[in-house]
Amino acid sequence: MMRTLETLVEGLKFGEGPRWRDGWLWYSDFYAHHVRRVNLQGRVAEVVDVANQPSGLGFMPDGSCLIVSMLDRRLLRLKDGKLTEHADLSDRVDAPCNDMVVDAMGRAYVGNFGFERHKGQSPKTTSMWRVDPDGSIHEAAGDLMFPNGTVITPDGGTLIVGETFASRLTAFDVAEDGALSNRRVWAEMAGGVPDGICLDEEGAIWVADPRGCRVQRILEGGRVAEEIALEGRGAYACMLGGPEKRHLFVITNEDSGPGVAERTAGRVEVTEVDIPGAGLP
């Protein structure tokens, strides 16, 4: 069937990092410097402001929220309404941090651009970093081309990250201590640009592809099981949530560059799908 998206929230500058939790979709609006949340009725609530642009979101076992602060390359923690520094990655990362996933133990796997794409720098590979619950920082994986949206399977044993400018999804085994190994290609996207991603109960991954103006449900190996096309709008992130985890939320916009900061063309859009979400985030 051909699914269509309905607008849940409009007027964002640029949305990122959607996460479903306790009846709300949390998301960052990074050019507006806000973290907000919205329920299925479209009621928006403010969460916190982040001066240096919030991006990826995740939750610790105690319910506190971790927030990627892009421009100063820090990981912040929001607990009891107070925002504090959880880890400073600025001496390890040369370009803005972006998305992340937080595992069941509270370990955060944080990606970054690897180069200043909006300043004309040439693409280069970079590392994903793991921040443990005590705030210690460890290199999780190297030689990644713009590590972006990331998921962890329900058993905690596999992490899959979208390498945006390599047009692929890359998988790793996860050890008990959080270390990654056995790197392999999970799916090639044949010119697609994987941005935000989320996992469902059948092990398929929904992938937001801004260049292709679409969201695709991709199986391991690369077969596209379903596609939702957008008319002239890029899809930048997606998340499965709702009471049965069958609501697919998609963050859309006209573009991603700094120029969108002067506009409010961003949206949170939603449709219902057949297979519920699973794993993390």
Side-chain angles (χ1 to χ4, degrees):
M1 64 176 292
M2 294 295 293
R3 303 184 200 276
T4 57
L5 295 169
E6 297 183 357
T7 299
L8 182 65
V9 183
E10 56 187 354
L12 283 66
K13 290 183 179 292
F14 191 85
E16 261 292 4
R19 305 288 185 259
W20 181 261
R21 187 173 179 85
D22 297 334
W24 295 83
L25 183 78
W26 295 53
Y27 61 92
S28 296
D29 187 351
F30 66 62
Y31 288 129
H33 308 284
H34 300 312
V35 177
R36 291 174 169 153
R37 58 181 186 165
V38 60
N39 64 14
L40 287 176
Q41 292 70 48
R43 183 166 72 87
V44 176
E46 300 289 341
V47 176
V48 70
D49 287 348
V50 176
N52 283 288
Q53 295 186 186
S55 183
L57 305 174
F59 295 91
M60 300 284 282
D62 66 358
S64 59
C65 181
L66 295 183
I67 304 169
V68 171
S69 181
M70 296 180 68
L71 300 183
D72 57 356
R73 308 183 301 284
R74 294 191 300 156
L75 188 58
L76 307 180
R77 186 172 182 176
L78 180 66
K79 183 175 183 181
D80 300 326
K82 184 179 179 181
L83 196 62
T84 59
E85 180 180 286
H86 185 58
D88 184 351
L89 293 94
S90 62
D91 62 345
R92 294 166 171 85
V93 178
D94 296 328
C97 292
N98 54 357
D99 213 344
M100 72 169 170
V101 67
V102 179
D103 74 7
M105 302 297 293
R107 295 179 292 231
Y109 296 84
V110 184
N112 65 91
F113 288 14
F115 63 102
E116 291 280 4
R117 62 183 299 251
H118 298 306
K119 296 180 180 179
Q121 291 185 0
S122 299
K124 64 177 181 177
T125 59
T126 187
S127 295
M128 173 184 284
W129 296 89
R130 188 187 84 236
V131 179
D132 285 349
D134 63 0
S136 61
I137 302 169
H138 314 268
E139 186 176 25
D143 197 30
L144 294 165
M145 183 57 77
F146 208 100
N148 205 338
T150 311
V151 297
I152 297 174
T153 55
D155 64 1
T158 304
L159 178 147
I160 305 161
V161 58
E163 292 187 72
T164 297
F165 293 126
S167 298
R168 65 181 172 233
L169 303 176
T170 299
F172 298 87
D173 294 341
V174 183
E176 288 189 8
D177 64 356
L180 303 184
S181 64
N182 188 26
R183 177 177 179 159
R184 59 208 180 266
V185 174
W186 193 88
E188 299 278 6
M189 287 189 58
V193 178
D195 200 319
I197 63 177
C198 60
L199 185 70
D200 72 23
E201 283 187 350
E202 292 187 348
I205 294 178
W206 282 98
V207 180
D209 178 0
R211 182 181 296 169
C213 296
R214 62 193 177 184
V215 187
Q216 293 182 313
R217 183 174 182 259
I218 298 178
L219 306 178
E220 186 173 5
R223 184 170 75 84
V224 177
E226 187 173 347
E227 178 173 311
I228 304 172
L230 304 174
E231 295 185 2
R233 298 178 63 78
Y236 290 91
C238 56
M239 183 67 203
L240 287 160
E244 297 179 345
K245 299 193 78 173
R246 291 195 305 108
H247 285 73
L248 178 67
F249 300 94
V250 184
I251 304 285
T252 69
N253 212 316
E254 299 171 345
D255 194 8
S256 62
V260 302
E262 305 304 318
R263 307 193 295 272
T264 52
R267 300 175 190 167
V268 178
E269 304 188 47
V270 63
T271 190
E272 290 192 50
V273 297
D274 299 326
I275 310 302
L280 294 167

